[in-house]
Amino acid sequence: MSVPTSTAAGTVRLTVAQALVRFLAAQYSERDGIRERLVPGTFGIFGHGNVAGVGQALLQNATDPARGDGAKDEAAMPYYQSRNEQNMVHTAVSYARTRNRRQLLACAASIGPGSTNMVTGAALATIDRIPVLLLPSDIFAGRAVDPVLQQLEDERAMDVSVNDAFRPVSRYFDRIWRPEQLIPSALAALRVLTDPAETGAVTLCLPQDVQAEAHDWPVEFFDERTWHIARPVPEPAALDRAVSVIRSARRPLLVAGGGAIYSEASEALTAFAEATSIPVADTQAGKGAISGDHPLSVGGVGATGTDAANALAAEADVVIGVGTRYTDFTTASHTAFRNPDVRFVNLNVKAFDAAKHAATMVVADARAGLEALTEAVQGWQAPSEHAENAARLRREWEERIAPCFAPHDQELPAQTEIFGALNQLMGDEDILLNAAGSMPGDLQALWTARSPLQYHLEYGYSCMGYELPASLGAKMAAPDSEVVAIIGDGTFQMAPQEIATLVAEDVKVILVILQNHGWSSIGSLSESHGSQRFGTKYRLRDKETGLLDGEKLPFDIPANIRSYGLEVDEVSSTDAFREAYRRATARTRATAIVVNTDLYGPHPPGSGWWDVPVSATARLDSTRAARAEYEADLAPQRHYL
């Protein structure tokens, strides 16, 4: 952080909420010489816990920004109205991710359920290592009113509230009991938010009486501050150790994770791959770090990976992980890397992730680390036959998946046909959004991401409901890109509220809703694990069987979306979808395409495994058969030591 330039003396009297808004509006980030507002806006939903505190401060900022203390007016803090607190955190996460964590948004909520609605979003942000500032309102610090409306009383202590639920899902947590506590806490919060290794959800709880309490603040607190986002370079000894391992490899594989994109390391990654002839696989967060069209790109690895990447992973003697935290989907639940002598070299800005799988650690920024590795390993390449094998495996995979994009012998198209059409129709700098269900698996296997921006999958928390609000955040962050959110009908029913926000803010996104009248992913998983797709279709309850296996639920998604004022096309073929998409791109307002698809797929061929335990005892033949298969699949699972 740079030292403030102002030397103004004196104080200014403001409430805690007013001081916080003014402070946030004066914060900047800098990386690679690019300086920009760190917190360019605040989302909020007001209730009795914050309407007269944070709400008043945002109103005053918008309508009467004069400081009145002889210094310049306070900077604007734009306010955005959301419809659901979890959704607004998703919007903020998507914004920060699209901005490669150089900028972030704040989210303010009222006391009680308004605040706890944000906990899921906080978990998502912290798991995905994305910065977001949460401002949940809290109980009275003064305790004259106890219990206040929506307060959870804890008989063991009076300093506990429901907001303590944020502690395990926040990278930094504090509760501002007294006005003067805001100064060190706000500075600490910004330090964490701008630290690429420590970032995630940061929570500052604001008791509702403290929000409105006045205090004499030193004017220096409101001076512009620039937070410099670091690019840590590798320790020379660590670099030497990593190079030694890499040079010993005969069948190396590089796995690119989200860190390669957030650090804007695509050029460095491509240069390293070309210099060493090492094939590059990707995770959900890392897809696009190297263009999917590049000859050394072999696609997704792991449970939903390509045959090419998984075949290379199975025989790899050295795996170089760049910016990945190795989730169970990436490692196929520790069955992907099967070479008994496999060793790992992990390049990660966070030591916690760099140490995974007993790796040779290089704790550094992904871009700086790749540039250093490229120079240090100069003159060495993987054996030519290894790259040739990778190219052959990729060609074979592309031939194998070609039928996924062609019409199938069924009344409705498979979702894979729609994905193939979208991949052709979308531009390199357009943004595809998705999060949960069967679609991430299909997309990781099939999508060719031609830029780091194009593929935006939230799969760290795999949170249903992320896609629609995330489309708003992505478009705010990249207004010149076409933003397309692919949403299952199950996800749509969970979180359609932000359509109203898209309309209110006049934000142009394209919503593609795939309607198959059920949970395709969990239905397939249920069937393969002996549970017969129980409870995974949207049906009326049958009065004879007592089960949800009657007629289809009469839910009209197109009519629901039209009620918000959006134009909607409903289609039932891939050709009709292509035409609808062209119409959608020509429109200037948010629009939706509802595609009727087949619940049962088909889906891409699979070569990875995912550990979902099956009941060890059961009366059902389907479950007993699935258990036997599960026990056989466990055989390759191992620790990487």
Side-chain angles (χ1 to χ4, degrees):
M1 186 192 73
S2 63
V3 178
T5 57
S6 172
T7 58
T11 60
V12 56
R13 192 161 183 81
L14 299 169
T15 69
V16 169
Q18 293 164 359
L20 179 58
V21 168
R22 182 177 295 189
F23 169 81
L24 293 176
Q27 306 306 303
Y28 287 77
S29 71
E30 181 277 327
R31 186 170 71 175
D32 302 330
I34 300 174
R35 183 176 183 265
E36 50 200 335
R37 274 281 296 274
L38 179 60
V39 188
T42 296
F43 273 87
I45 297 180
F46 301 128
H48 73 276
N50 67 344
V51 67
V54 171
Q56 189 279 338
L58 289 168
L59 167 67
Q60 183 167 290
N61 174 275
T63 60
D64 185 22
R67 291 173 58 149
D69 56 9
K72 66 179 181 180
D73 292 350
E74 73 182 54
M77 175 56 73
Y79 163 71
Y80 302 97
Q81 183 185 69
S82 188
R83 271 68 187 174
N84 175 277
E85 292 88 356
Q86 178 177 318
N87 287 353
M88 70 184 180
V89 182
H90 292 335
T91 301
V93 167
S94 176
Y95 178 90
R97 173 173 172 169
T98 305
R99 298 297 298 161
N100 283 335
R101 306 190 303 192
R102 301 191 311 269
Q103 291 181 291
L104 61 107
L105 299 173
C107 296
S110 187
I111 187 175
S115 288
T116 54
N117 279 350
M118 296 196 296
V119 172
T120 294
L124 182 149
T126 296
I127 287 170
D128 288 350
R129 318 286 206 258
I130 305 294
V132 62
L133 176 61
L134 306 181
L135 305 174
S137 299
D138 218 315
I139 57 179
F140 274 60
R143 300 180 183 171
V145 182
D146 185 76
V148 67
L149 177 64
Q150 298 177 324
Q151 178 178 342
L152 171 71
E153 294 182 88
D154 191 312
E155 294 140 346
R156 298 163 298 175
M158 296 189 73
D159 63 346
V160 174
S161 81
V162 293
N163 285 347
D164 286 273
F166 284 98
R167 290 182 184 272
V169 294
S170 298
R171 294 299 300 158
Y172 177 85
F173 175 96
D174 198 7
R175 185 178 281 114
I176 309 302
W177 291 113
R178 294 173 55 87
E180 57 267 34
Q181 293 176 344
L182 178 64
I183 294 176
S185 189
L187 293 169
L190 271 293
R191 173 189 61 79
V192 174
L193 288 166
T194 55
D195 186 327
E198 298 302 319
T199 197
V202 165
T203 302
L204 296 181
C205 301
L206 303 173
Q208 55 184 308
D209 54 343
V210 175
Q211 289 182 45
E213 186 175 345
H215 181 69
D216 293 322
W217 305 90
V219 294
E220 293 90 348
F221 182 51
F222 307 113
D223 285 341
E224 288 186 1
R225 285 176 170 79
T226 300
W227 300 82
H228 301 281
I229 300 176
R231 286 196 182 279
V233 298
E235 179 191 9
L239 192 64
D240 290 343
R241 292 190 292 268
V243 169
S244 177
V245 175
I246 293 170
R247 284 180 174 275
S248 71
R250 303 294 298 171
R251 296 181 299 278
L253 177 68
L254 190 147
V255 177
I261 290 180
Y262 305 146
S263 67
E264 300 171 348
S266 292
E267 289 186 11
L269 173 61
T270 304
F272 176 79
E274 291 174 349
T276 60
S277 296
I278 296 178
V280 179
D282 53 59
T283 70
Q284 288 283 15
K287 185 173 288 294
I290 186 172
S291 172
D293 290 330
H294 195 281
L296 287 166
S297 171
V298 294
V301 67
T304 53
T306 70
D307 284 0
N310 284 338
L312 293 167
E315 65 177 17
D317 54 357
V318 172
V319 176
I320 305 168
V322 178
T324 178
R325 59 191 189 89
Y326 289 110
T327 70
D328 61 342
F329 261 67
T330 299
T331 68
S333 298
H334 279 219
T335 65
F337 308 110
R338 299 193 178 196
N339 187 325
D341 299 318
V342 64
R343 291 178 293 170
F344 291 82
V345 173
N346 290 341
L347 167 58
N348 204 294
V349 73
K350 191 174 181 68
F352 177 82
D353 292 319
K356 289 177 178 176
H357 301 161
T360 297
M361 300 167 57
V362 181
V363 180
D365 169 77
R367 193 174 85 180
L370 283 166
E371 290 171 346
L373 279 174
T374 303
E375 182 177 352
V377 81
Q378 189 173 10
W380 177 89
Q381 283 190 326
S384 59
E385 59 268 23
H386 182 57
E388 292 167 1
N389 182 46
R392 176 185 59 80
L393 290 169
R394 173 175 165 154
R395 288 193 301 271
E396 291 174 355
W397 170 250
E398 289 174 345
E399 292 172 2
R400 191 176 181 198
I401 61 173
C404 292
F405 308 126
H408 294 80
D409 185 19
Q410 54 197 30
E411 181 180 356
L412 295 173
Q415 65 188 30
T416 56
E417 298 175 47
I418 305 303
F419 298 158
L422 263 179
N423 210 169
Q424 293 175 344
L425 292 165
M426 291 180 65
D428 292 2
E429 298 302 313
D430 293 340
I431 301 174
L432 174 86
L433 275 147
N434 189 243
S438 62
M439 290 183 277
D442 287 2
L443 288 165
Q444 191 190 19
L446 301 177
W447 192 270
T448 300
R450 297 179 293 273
S451 78
L453 186 68
Q454 190 187 58
Y455 189 84
H456 184 134
L457 266 282
E458 192 295 297
Y459 214 58
Y461 209 38
S462 186
C463 187
M464 294 182 72
Y466 175 83
E467 297 93 328
L468 200 157
S471 71
L472 170 60
K475 187 67 174 183
M476 291 171 64
D480 295 331
S481 296
E482 199 76 78
V483 175
V484 181
I486 305 182
I487 306 168
D489 51 358
T491 289
F492 179 82
Q493 293 177 70
M494 286 189 173
Q497 303 94 330
E498 301 317 311
I499 295 177
T501 308
L502 292 171
V503 173
E505 298 288 349
D506 194 22
V507 173
K508 160 69 185 297
V509 300
I510 299 174
L511 308 177
V512 178
I513 295 92
L514 303 187
Q515 180 168 252
N516 55 28
H517 303 282
W519 291 323
S520 175
S521 174
I522 204 66
S524 178
L525 184 68
S526 170
E527 185 173 47
S528 66
H529 284 60
S531 294
Q532 305 174 18
R533 291 185 179 261
F534 177 72
T536 64
K537 301 175 185 177
Y538 304 145
R539 301 291 188 271
L540 300 174
R541 191 171 296 281
D542 189 286
K543 294 181 179 179
E544 293 185 6
T545 66
L547 301 175
L548 291 170
D549 58 3
E551 296 296 318
K552 289 180 180 178
L553 193 68
F555 179 52
D556 193 335
I557 291 178
N560 183 278
I561 299 172
R562 288 190 184 103
S563 71
Y564 289 94
L566 267 62
E567 292 189 71
V568 183
D569 286 321
E570 183 175 9
V571 300
S572 299
S573 73
T574 304
D575 287 341
F577 170 76
R578 289 177 181 273
E579 292 304 315
Y581 184 81
R582 293 187 180 100
R583 289 192 294 272
T585 58
R587 292 171 183 150
T588 58
R589 300 178 60 207
T591 187
I593 307 170
V594 178
V595 189
N596 296 304
T597 58
D598 194 289
L599 177 63
Y600 301 101
H603 299 286
S607 57
W609 183 69
W610 188 36
D611 191 347
V612 178
V614 180
S615 297
T617 181
R619 295 191 300 273
L620 301 176
D621 290 341
S622 60
T623 307
R624 289 199 294 267
R627 177 68 190 192
E629 183 178 347
Y630 171 73
E631 290 177 353
D633 288 338
L634 276 173
Q637 194 174 63
R638 56 181 283 207
H639 292 293
Y640 298 118
L641 300 173

